[in-house]
Amino acid sequence: MNSLKLSSLAIQHVLAMYAGAVIVPLIVGGALGLTGEQLTYLVSIDILMCGVATILQVWKNRFFGIGLPVVLGCTFTAVGPMITIGGQYGIPAIYGSILVSGLFVMVISKYFGKLIRFFPPVVTGSVVTIIGITLIPVAMNNMAGGEGSADFGALSNIGLAFGTLLFIILLFRFFKGFVRAVAILLGLLAGTLAAGFMGKVDFSPVAEASWFHLAQPFYFGMPEFHLTAILTMILVAMVSLVESTGVYFALSDICEEKIEENDVARGYRAEGAAIVLGAIFNAFPYTTYSQNVGLTQLSGVKTKNVIYLTGGMLVVLGLVPKIGALTTVIPSPVLGGAMIAMFGMVVAYGIKMLGRVEFDSQENLLIVACAVGMGMGVTVVPDMFSQLPGSLQILTSNGIVAGSLTAILLNIVFNVRRSEKTVRVVEQRAS
């Protein structure tokens, strides 16, 4: 393959994942009230770490790496939990919980295949749906101009937000393939351009940003460790591993490469290492991006060299803060319009996962009902369990944790225990 074709394919992969990669730090940083300089660092280091994480996963060796053409990016399922943890305990607690969750993934990587039975679609679908629903208020606040802004709810903000959303919808309606893959990115560009004509774009962060910087460990301070935050991020990491497992096997089919249990374990270990590095350099938890799998299938090019080059491009982009600063000029209403589509897709993806559930079973209906109900209930009324002992509030003070644990426990009661009992009965009859 010539270098021009290799480069063009790598650029396509960068574009396909770029919007997802940059919108996570923009949402989290905006929700936590970071300064323009801090937000620029967050975006830049995230892009850089996406490249490092991707290379770690593609590079198959004795210890880590799935060895398939997979691209890693920050997981959307971590957005809501990170905002909640940051708001409750502060930014250092976010990175303490990410660090522990990454180490946890590395430790259980060899055994996670045996734990997957505790995370069937009825559990993972419920968790992803809860996370998506809890993110919608963040999007609505941004559509109105950003919480606390002087022009909150102004018609110009509402118009800009819905204009951006409409543009994204039209791209999905009238285009296919690659344009659809970058529809969010194009929507953000079009919305920012319109906002520029309305005088709502401030380019001062770009002017103030430097041309080059190096990654700085613990930029936001030394990590802090809180049990509730750690439990939340471990749950997020385990859900991401379940999603990644599907991506691994999809890519193995596309590339016609059989993967064994040890290969999958190395893939998990690479994700754990990427999460740990994300914590050290104040980036994010990382997971496999399914949109790039679609691009691999669409292009028909399955060589790992394309993904190595993609990772290299992301590292270079991440070393140039001016590029990162460009994304921070996106006005809140434009971001909010895109968020509605993206967070709605998280909810829709959760529902899609639930679509694989056998809903003729009343037990599964009850699992979903109780999990989503508990997750939403605690999110809307966070003080509901304030009179409980502190040790129990660890499990009840966060809607995502409460809903996830409800789903896991009820699945064990209704499905895992029952299937184990069935196996024992079959074995007894056979003997």
Side-chain angles (χ1 to χ4, degrees), residues 395-413:
L395 306 176
T396 58
S397 60
N398 181 294
I400 296 166
V401 173
S404 301
L405 288 178
T406 300
I408 292 167
L409 292 173
L410 289 180
N411 178 64
I412 291 170
V413 170

Side-chain angles (χ1 to χ4, degrees), residues 51-228:
V52 172
T54 297
I55 292 169
L56 275 176
Q57 189 64 286
V58 180
W59 176 32
K60 183 178 181 179
N61 57 70
R62 184 178 171 186
F63 302 104
F64 56 81
I66 192 70
L68 294 170
V70 59
V71 175
L72 269 71
C74 37
T75 174
F76 273 100
T77 52
V79 172
M82 288 179 72
I83 293 171
T84 303
I85 293 167
Q88 189 170 356
Y89 300 110
I91 295 175
I94 294 174
Y95 293 107
S97 62
I98 293 173
L99 181 63
V100 175
S101 70
L103 293 171
F104 179 81
V105 167
M106 293 179 75
V107 169
I108 68 161
S109 57
K110 187 178 179 181
Y111 313 102
F112 188 73
K114 298 176 177 64
L115 296 177
I116 285 182
R117 67 197 185 103
F118 295 109
F119 293 87
V122 70
V123 172
T124 54
S126 297
V127 173
V128 173
T129 303
I130 293 166
I131 290 172
I133 292 171
T134 59
L135 286 171
I136 298 299
V138 177
M140 300 305 286
N141 275 318
N142 275 279
M143 289 180 79
E147 196 168 358
S149 63
D151 61 346
F152 188 87
L155 288 178
S156 58
N157 291 338
I158 303 297
L160 200 53
F162 278 102
T164 302
L165 179 59
L166 179 62
F167 186 79
I168 292 168
I169 291 169
L170 289 174
L171 288 177
F172 267 86
R173 171 64 181 85
F174 294 107
F175 293 91
K176 293 182 179 179
F178 184 65
V179 174
R180 275 193 177 188
V182 296
I184 299 291
L185 183 63
L186 294 175
L188 290 171
L189 289 172
T192 303
L193 185 64
F197 286 112
M198 297 166 67
K200 288 180 174 287
V201 179
D202 177 16
F203 283 99
S204 58
V206 181
E208 293 166 6
S210 59
W211 280 102
F212 179 80
H213 78 150
L214 291 172
Q216 182 180 332
F218 306 120
Y219 178 85
F220 291 103
M222 293 301 290
E224 294 178 4
F225 305 96
H226 298 272
L227 191 54
T228 306

Side-chain angles (χ1 to χ4, degrees), residues 28 187 241:
V28 174
L241 285 185

Side-chain angles (χ1 to χ4, degrees), residues 79-424:
V79 172
M82 288 179 72
I83 293 171
T84 303
I85 293 167
Q88 189 170 356
Y89 300 110
I91 295 175
I94 294 174
Y95 293 107
S97 62
I98 293 173
L99 181 63
V100 175
S101 70
L103 293 171
F104 179 81
V105 167
M106 293 179 75
V107 169
I108 68 161
S109 57
K110 187 178 179 181
Y111 313 102
F112 188 73
K114 298 176 177 64
L115 296 177
I116 285 182
R117 67 197 185 103
F118 295 109
F119 293 87
V122 70
V123 172
T124 54
S126 297
V127 173
V128 173
T129 303
I130 293 166
I131 290 172
I133 292 171
T134 59
L135 286 171
I136 298 299
V138 177
M140 300 305 286
N141 275 318
N142 275 279
M143 289 180 79
E147 196 168 358
S149 63
D151 61 346
F152 188 87
L155 288 178
S156 58
N157 291 338
I158 303 297
L160 200 53
F162 278 102
T164 302
L165 179 59
L166 179 62
F167 186 79
I168 292 168
I169 291 169
L170 289 174
L171 288 177
F172 267 86
R173 171 64 181 85
F174 294 107
F175 293 91
K176 293 182 179 179
F178 184 65
V179 174
R180 275 193 177 188
V182 296
I184 299 291
L185 183 63
L186 294 175
L188 290 171
L189 289 172
T192 303
L193 185 64
F197 286 112
M198 297 166 67
K200 288 180 174 287
V201 179
D202 177 16
F203 283 99
S204 58
V206 181
E208 293 166 6
S210 59
W211 280 102
F212 179 80
H213 78 150
L214 291 172
Q216 182 180 332
F218 306 120
Y219 178 85
F220 291 103
M222 293 301 290
E224 294 178 4
F225 305 96
H226 298 272
L227 191 54
T228 306
I230 289 167
L231 282 173
T232 304
M233 293 312 299
I234 284 176
L235 281 167
V236 168
M238 293 182 83
V239 170
S240 293
L241 285 185
V242 174
E243 294 178 50
S244 295
T245 304
V247 173
Y248 296 158
F249 284 102
L251 269 173
S252 72
D253 286 343
I254 293 169
C255 299
E256 298 176 352
E257 288 186 30
K258 188 178 180 181
I259 55 174
E260 306 291 342
E261 188 175 317
N262 287 337
D263 297 316
V264 175
R266 282 194 295 268
Y268 295 152
R269 206 170 291 126
E271 285 199 29
I275 294 169
V276 169
L277 288 173
I280 292 171
F281 292 102
N282 292 154
F284 298 93
Y286 292 95
T287 189
T288 53
Y289 266 17
S290 55
Q291 56 263 51
N292 291 88
V293 176
L295 190 56
T296 299
Q297 191 168 25
L298 196 68
S299 67
V301 178
K302 306 161 190 175
T303 174
K304 290 189 287 187
N305 289 340
V306 173
I307 308 301
Y308 276 124
L309 186 55
T310 300
M313 287 179 174
L314 290 169
V315 169
V316 172
L317 289 172
L319 292 172
V320 184
K322 277 198 183 294
I323 296 173
L326 274 172
T327 62
T328 68
V329 306
I330 301 170
S332 293
V334 174
L335 202 56
M339 282 178 187
I340 282 292
M342 297 185 79
F343 295 165
M345 288 294 280
V346 174
V347 178
Y349 185 63
I351 294 169
K352 181 182 176 183
M353 294 167 81
L354 290 172
R356 301 199 296 271
V357 176
E358 179 55 65
F359 276 126
D360 286 340
S361 162
Q362 290 292 320
E363 290 92 340
N364 284 336
L365 282 171
L366 187 64
I367 292 169
V368 176
C370 291
V372 175
M374 183 63 72
M376 280 305 301
V378 172
T379 300
V380 174
V381 189
D383 297 327
M384 179 178 175
F385 297 107
S386 60
Q387 301 300 315
L388 290 177
S391 56
L392 289 177
Q393 285 188 46
I394 289 168
L395 306 176
T396 58
S397 60
N398 181 294
I400 296 166
V401 173
S404 301
L405 288 178
T406 300
I408 292 167
L409 292 173
L410 289 180
N411 178 64
I412 291 170
V413 170
F414 288 123
N415 295 330
V416 175
R417 294 289 298 277
R418 187 173 59 185
S419 61
E420 288 176 352
K421 186 177 178 181
T422 302
V423 169
R424 284 197 298 269

